[in-house]
Amino acid sequence: MGGRRIVPLTLDNLADLPSTCRSCVFWELDPVSGRAAVESGKPELEKEGWISAVLLEWGSCGRVVYVDDRPAGFVLYAPPAYVPRSQSFPTSPVASDAVQLMVSRVLPGFQRQGIGRVLVQTVAKDLMGRGFRAIEAFGAVGRQPVSCVLPAEHLLAVGFKTVRPHHRYPRLRLEARNTLSWRGDVEGALERLLGGGRKEPALRPF
């Protein structure tokens, strides 16, 4: 089946993420535990364990976009209680009414097509139905050695606003209700991605 779809991230489709992301536990573990996982050669198992625990205790914590059955992008998010690394940032903590956007990535060959914004809008829709008001994220300013921290410039481009400035790691926030105004933009992006064809019902915005 071709076309475009966005599905929850589970242990079943975790293998569709790039290998570097499947073995990355930057956000999922505190710095000491993360280093130990890498040194022991078992970061993939730690990643699976984290996703499994969050799915059981909190529910869906990610989405994967497929275009013609090929993975095109993904996003990971969770309440800050499940994201130990966030506590080590100078602009923490994430607000209690928000969920942290950990990673959002559009894979090569699918960039500059609006997928990044669609992913954020999908997260916002999910969170509004679960009692959260906003998405927050730590942004990186300038060239950073850790690619797990999203560029602040990218976050601003998809609608986030800075709520805690910092010269290297500002904290940014997107009110979930603000994504309601994206309807036209998102529908246009979906139509372009599908070549003007039928939209996937599961992807209809608010």
Side-chain angles (χ1 to χ4, degrees):
M1 178 179 173
R4 170 123 185 276
R5 58 196 174 99
I6 298 181
V7 302
L9 174 67
T10 65
L11 295 178
D12 295 332
N13 60 3
L14 180 60
D16 288 341
L17 271 56
S19 59
T20 53
C21 299
R22 292 199 305 272
S23 61
C24 177
V25 288
F26 177 82
W27 290 111
E28 293 84 353
L29 301 175
D30 64 79
V32 174
S33 300
R35 197 175 308 117
V38 172
E39 290 174 354
S40 69
K42 298 180 180 178
E44 294 92 346
L45 292 177
E46 293 286 354
K47 184 87 162 193
E48 290 180 11
W50 183 87
I51 291 174
S52 178
V54 178
L55 283 170
L56 287 171
E57 296 173 15
W58 184 66
S60 180
C61 58
R63 292 288 188 274
V64 184
V65 182
Y66 294 91
V67 176
D68 294 331
D69 291 327
R70 294 170 57 201
F74 67 94
V75 62
L76 264 176
Y77 53 97
Y82 291 99
V83 192
R85 175 73 70 145
S86 68
Q87 299 169 15
S88 64
F89 277 73
T91 48
S92 65
V94 169
S96 59
D97 65 348
V99 160
Q100 183 183 339
L101 177 65
M102 299 158 59
V103 178
S104 177
R105 182 161 296 176
V106 178
L107 304 182
F110 298 98
Q111 296 168 354
R112 301 189 182 281
Q113 299 179 37
I115 291 178
R117 176 168 278 216
V118 171
L119 278 169
V120 170
Q121 201 254 5
T122 303
V123 174
K125 182 177 181 180
D126 177 37
L127 298 183
M128 287 182 74
R130 297 163 80 173
F132 290 89
R133 292 179 54 192
I135 310 166
E136 292 195 359
F138 297 101
V141 176
R143 294 181 63 84
Q144 298 294 332
V146 179
S147 61
C148 303
V149 184
L150 292 166
E153 184 179 6
H154 167 74
L155 292 167
L156 292 168
V158 296
F160 282 75
K161 306 291 183 186
T162 302
V163 290
R164 184 87 187 275
H166 189 265
H167 66 285
R168 289 188 65 194
Y169 297 116
R171 179 160 49 87
L172 301 96
R173 180 179 173 99
L174 175 65
E175 301 292 337
R177 67 175 182 273
N178 288 353
T179 61
L180 293 170
S181 64
W182 295 0
R183 184 184 181 104
D185 291 346
V186 173
E187 288 188 336
L190 292 176
E191 194 160 343
R192 287 193 298 275
L193 285 166
L194 291 170
R198 177 178 58 85
K199 298 183 183 69
E200 291 286 338
L203 291 179
R204 288 200 57 83
F206 303 112

